[in-house]
Amino acid sequence: GFFLGTGSSILSALQDLFWLSKSKVEKQLQIISVLQWVLTFLVMGVACTLILMYILCTDCWVIAALYLAWLVFDWNTPKKGGRRSQWVRNWAIWRYFRDYFPIRLVKTHNLLTTRNYIFGYHPHGIMGLGAFCNFSTEATGVGQKFPGIRPYLATLAGNFRMPILRDYLMSGGICPVNRDSIDYILSKNGSGNAIIIVVGGAAESLNCTPGKNSVTLKNRKGFVKLALRHGADLVPVYSFGENEVYKQVIFEEGSWGRWVQKKFQKHIGFAPCIFHGRGLFSSNTWGLLPYSKPITTVVGEPITIPKIDNPSQREVDFYHSMYVDSLIKLFDKYKSKFGLPETEVLEVN
């Protein structure tokens, strides 16, 4: 009896240890998956360019030369819908990435595979973590939730001039946010395409801070014009929690810091933000890891858009105001479900 007793207590102690370590290992894998992504976002393009230049100057220059030859040959692929890989989109690493926050995708309406769509994604946040996880990976089940719809997340065209990074981005179904690329996907790629455009872009990222729900949308009408020219339906998408995962130093309008940010935004297309998350080993220290706060992305109801080859300003304004109303309605309908007070108002700038 004594031996049985100690045996089972040793066993239960071992089990406790195993469970403890299992959850700890999960947490570590989540942290690694998010850190890998943040570093990709911040430095992969520059790092790959430098490595390639370095290899050109070594005995292995043939490898770099072959890649550069391929790059020239493949230069226009990003503009033609890219090269998505279901294998990359289904990597296990993205499931750990999803669970770190966690990130969820909420479907409110069915989407027809006979139509094309432009999703307006709001807000940008610092890095658009929700946009990436939901639409460039299968971690939150976008393929099951919207069967027959191919999502394309549109991002800065400059990223596709960077060696290796461009191939990595394309494998997730990411495309350049320029006219050529969007025209191609919406007119020469059949139906069932959904292009996700982070409408507020760099300007919006400058205002993101925890507790703030504001979007840069009033004078952003290019995406509506594109939708009209292709007869692609507009879908408002709001990510609750996107602004909560990083803290940012916000420079006031008129300050030198904001002036520098605006110059960058105007000439390079992105704005340098001074932000921080948590440290690698403790949530009480500063670092590059985002805080693990839930991000819930709600995909709203599609607005049916007619196909008008040359839309007038009046037509663009009309559908733009319909879109803004629809986004505000979506925000108001779901805000209290995802932790915001009933009194919270979406600020549209």
Side-chain angles (χ1 to χ4, degrees), residues 50-123:
L50 292 173
I51 290 167
L52 199 70
M53 285 161 68
Y54 170 73
I55 294 173
L56 270 175
C57 306
T58 66
D59 293 346
C60 301
W61 65 269
V62 177
I63 298 169
L66 284 171
Y67 179 79
L68 287 172
W70 153 254
L71 194 62
V72 173
F73 168 74
D74 193 55
W75 194 249
N76 286 324
T77 303
K79 288 184 194 157
K80 295 193 171 152
R83 223 192 346 263
R84 76 177 51 222
S85 154
Q86 284 307 111
W87 176 66
V88 174
R89 287 175 63 89
N90 281 294
W91 277 354
I93 195 168
W94 307 130
R95 296 197 287 282
Y96 289 111
F97 182 95
R98 169 198 70 197
D99 294 339
Y100 173 84
F101 297 92
I103 294 172
R104 280 171 55 212
L105 181 66
V106 176
K107 169 188 175 174
T108 63
H109 290 77
N110 287 327
L111 297 182
L112 301 171
T113 54
T114 51
R115 301 285 295 170
N116 280 325
Y117 299 92
I118 291 181
F119 288 16
Y121 182 93
H122 316 265

Side-chain angles (χ1 to χ4, degrees), residues 235-252:
V235 182
V237 178
Y238 197 85
S239 252
F240 294 91
E242 184 72 69
N243 283 348
E244 306 299 312
V245 295
Y246 278 112
K247 293 178 179 164
Q248 182 181 191
V249 178
I250 304 269
F251 292 106
E252 290 304 311

Side-chain angles (χ1 to χ4, degrees), residues 334-341:
Y334 289 94
K335 61 189 176 187
S336 56
K337 266 190 189 146
F338 302 120
L340 294 176

Side-chain angles (χ1 to χ4, degrees), residues 223-236:
F223 74 106
V224 178
K225 198 171 185 176
L226 274 167
L228 283 161
R229 288 200 10 246
H230 293 287
D233 295 347
L234 284 172
V235 182

Side-chain angles (χ1 to χ4, degrees), residues 240-306:
F240 294 91
E242 184 72 69
N243 283 348
E244 306 299 312
V245 295
Y246 278 112
K247 293 178 179 164
Q248 182 181 191
V249 178
I250 304 269
F251 292 106
E252 290 304 311
E253 282 298 335
S255 65
W256 67 269
R258 181 55 70 111
W259 179 83
V260 169
Q261 286 176 322
K262 286 210 161 141
K263 283 285 177 228
F264 256 86
Q265 183 195 323
K266 191 177 160 192
H267 298 295
I268 302 176
F270 76 91
C273 304
I274 297 179
F275 66 90
H276 73 85
R278 47 157 294 186
L280 196 52
F281 303 108
S282 152
S283 52
N284 301 324
T285 55
W286 283 20
L288 284 177
L289 265 188
Y291 293 103
S292 48
K293 300 277 173 73
I295 297 174
T296 309
T297 303
V298 187
V299 178
E301 182 176 6
I303 303 162
T304 309
I305 302 288

